Amino acid sequence: MEIGNKDIFWNYASTFLKIASGAVLLPFILHTMPAEKVGIWTIFITITSFVGLLDFGFNPSFTRNVTYVFSGVRSLKKKGHDDLIDVNHTIDFGLLKGLISTMRWFYSRMAIVVLVLLATIGTFYILKILNTYQGPKLEVYIAWGLLCLISTYNIYTLYYDSLLQGKGLIKRSKQIVVVAQSVYLTIAAILILLGFGLIAIVLAQLSSILIVRTLSYRFFFTQEIKQKLENSIPQSKDDIFRAIYPNAIKVGLTTIGSFLVNRSAMIIGSFFLTLEQIGSYGITMQLVGVVAAMAGIYISTFQPKIVQLRVEKNSDKIKELYVFGEIVLIITFVIGGLALLYIAPWALNLIKSETHLLPFMITGFVMIVTFLETNHGMAGSILLTKNIVPFFKASLLSGLLTVILLLLFFNFTGLGLWSMILAPGIAQGVYQNWKWPLEVSKELKITYKDYLLLFQNRII
């Protein structure tokens, strides 16, 4: 599995377009939509992220196991991985066929769950929020209905992502995202300027998802792979699922914890703050999320390679990739943080936006909290390549503590917007922020000299 600079470049390009697409659309959205509608849009983004939560950790688990198959293993295990017997990485297509069948079976059922939850609980939540909404509600209803259908289709075909990423087709998968997001931005911008508002954004999302799924199928299922799969006898779907689900459930619990840490503030805060304040919080967090996503690109690009290196027992190469990923993380946050604090407010004033960023001090604290979270998340991804999930309990407890602190702060203090930043910061800081980076440093025997040497060799 060869992953190099071209893969990194395309990952940067796709991540910027995918994560920053909302930021790219900001001038159009903020120029044409009132602050209340921006708040509704922010809530839509939160709900979309909730749909991803319903995957419950199976997507990264499927991806990791697809990589194991393409690395040459002959069976999948609940913990750890099969020893590599064939150094030529010969693929067991019977195992691959069984794994694909398992993924299809799982996501078809999850799609039904998503549709039911969004149509019932999700609709009730939207109606509750609209009680104080002064704008045209029909637009919100139409956009919400479309979003429910799009989210269902997205989760139904989510396994395509696992296949491309697991096979190591990083560059190809990111090129697909670049094409899809370019179409998304173009359609969304045009329709927003034509006055379609929230409906414009949702229709653009539909176009993007259809492009991603169509091209993903085409590039993974080549004529050679389809022929070999057709001539192979699939391994037992039940056996494969039993091997995958224990760690997938743990990753899912971790994801729930992460969701509670990062998204519960938006949901709980919407009952205590105005839509204008929620809009400011949402815009700020979206821009901070762009910085965090760009900072983690290096490690995410090499994630399939690190899984393969685990199978090959090459710890030195894993150490080199992780340390350089840490250096990229720090540099990106410094540059991105300064731009967000000093340039972004000026840019919003330039386009006469009705929605502004959070105050300077709050935004600065958000950057610190997000840096620490991204850092420990990167360390966790390294631990996960061993097919173990040591952090799922800690993540879930951090999420629960975040919710408790949010309710305490909102009900018994006058912290207001600060509550949405301090609660997750405290919950993560007491354990996760330092625990997992320390575990990786111990395992890989990392010292400060490793950072200095790598910085000198590859940066200076």
Side-chain angles (χ1 to χ4, degrees), residues 29-327:
I29 293 171
L30 298 177
H31 183 69
T32 60
M33 296 185 190
E36 267 198 328
K37 191 176 289 186
V38 174
I40 295 293
W41 174 58
T42 303
I43 290 172
F44 273 16
I45 294 174
T46 302
I47 292 174
T48 302
S49 67
F50 172 73
V51 172
L53 177 70
L54 294 177
D55 166 68
F56 213 73
F58 276 86
N59 184 257
S61 297
F62 283 139
T63 301
R64 190 169 60 256
N65 282 281
V66 170
T67 301
Y68 287 144
V69 173
F70 277 95
S71 296
V73 302
R74 294 291 178 265
S75 63
L76 303 178
K77 295 185 176 182
K78 294 181 179 180
K79 186 175 181 180
H81 50 75
D82 201 12
D83 291 333
L84 184 62
I85 298 175
D86 185 354
V87 295
N88 294 319
H89 305 293
T90 303
I91 302 168
D92 184 337
F93 280 93
L95 179 57
L96 179 61
K97 189 173 184 178
L99 181 56
I100 293 174
S101 176
T102 303
M103 291 190 286
R104 286 173 174 164
W105 175 85
F106 174 77
Y107 283 118
S108 64
R109 283 149 183 79
M110 288 309 303
I112 296 173
V113 174
V114 166
L115 182 59
V116 171
L117 289 177
L118 289 179
T120 54
I121 299 174
T123 300
F124 175 79
Y125 175 70
I126 291 297
L127 293 175
K128 181 73 174 177
I129 295 298
L130 289 180
N131 286 337
T132 59
Y133 183 63
Q134 301 300 316
K137 295 182 180 180
L138 180 60
E139 175 189 336
V140 181
Y141 295 148
I142 295 174
W144 171 247
L146 289 171
L147 188 65
C148 291
L149 296 176
I150 293 169
S151 299
T152 301
Y153 174 75
N154 188 40
I155 200 75
Y156 176 66
T157 55
L158 191 59
Y159 68 94
Y160 288 1
D161 291 349
S162 297
L163 291 174
L164 277 182
Q165 296 281 341
K167 189 181 178 183
L169 297 175
I170 305 300
K171 183 178 71 173
R172 184 66 70 190
S173 67
K174 301 311 175 183
Q175 288 173 334
I176 292 172
V177 172
V178 168
V179 172
Q181 287 302 115
S182 298
V183 172
Y184 164 75
L185 290 171
T186 301
I187 293 176
I190 292 173
L191 293 181
I192 288 172
L193 292 176
L194 290 176
F196 286 89
L198 295 171
I199 297 174
I201 302 175
V202 178
L203 286 176
Q205 287 176 337
L206 173 60
S207 302
S208 175
I209 290 173
L210 288 175
I211 290 172
V212 168
R213 297 308 186 222
T214 302
L215 292 179
S216 295
Y217 180 89
R218 176 182 174 185
F219 286 118
F220 180 83
F221 289 100
T222 61
Q223 193 61 38
E224 179 187 1
I225 284 186
K226 285 195 290 187
Q227 183 177 358
K228 289 185 176 180
L229 288 174
E230 186 177 345
N231 296 328
S232 299
I233 299 175
Q235 289 195 21
S236 169
K237 180 177 62 181
D238 292 339
D239 290 343
I240 291 175
F241 189 75
R242 278 194 292 267
I244 292 176
Y245 89 84
N247 276 340
I249 295 296
K250 292 178 182 178
V251 173
L253 293 174
T254 301
T255 307
I256 290 176
S258 178
F259 180 87
L260 292 175
V261 169
N262 295 301
R263 301 294 182 176
S264 61
M266 176 70 72
I267 296 174
I268 295 174
S270 65
F271 293 106
F272 293 91
L273 303 173
T274 66
L275 280 175
E276 288 83 354
Q277 289 175 307
I278 291 296
S280 292
Y281 173 82
I283 295 301
T284 303
M285 295 304 296
Q286 191 170 355
L287 292 176
V288 173
V290 171
V291 177
M294 301 299 283
I297 282 177
Y298 186 85
I299 286 296
S300 67
T301 300
F302 283 97
Q303 195 73 7
K305 182 65 177 179
I306 294 172
V307 172
Q308 186 181 56
L309 291 171
R310 287 288 189 192
V311 176
E312 296 172 351
K313 303 184 185 304
N314 191 343
S315 297
D316 290 338
K317 185 60 178 179
I318 296 175
K319 176 180 177 178
E320 179 184 338
L321 291 172
Y322 175 71
V323 170
F324 191 71
E326 288 275 281
I327 294 172

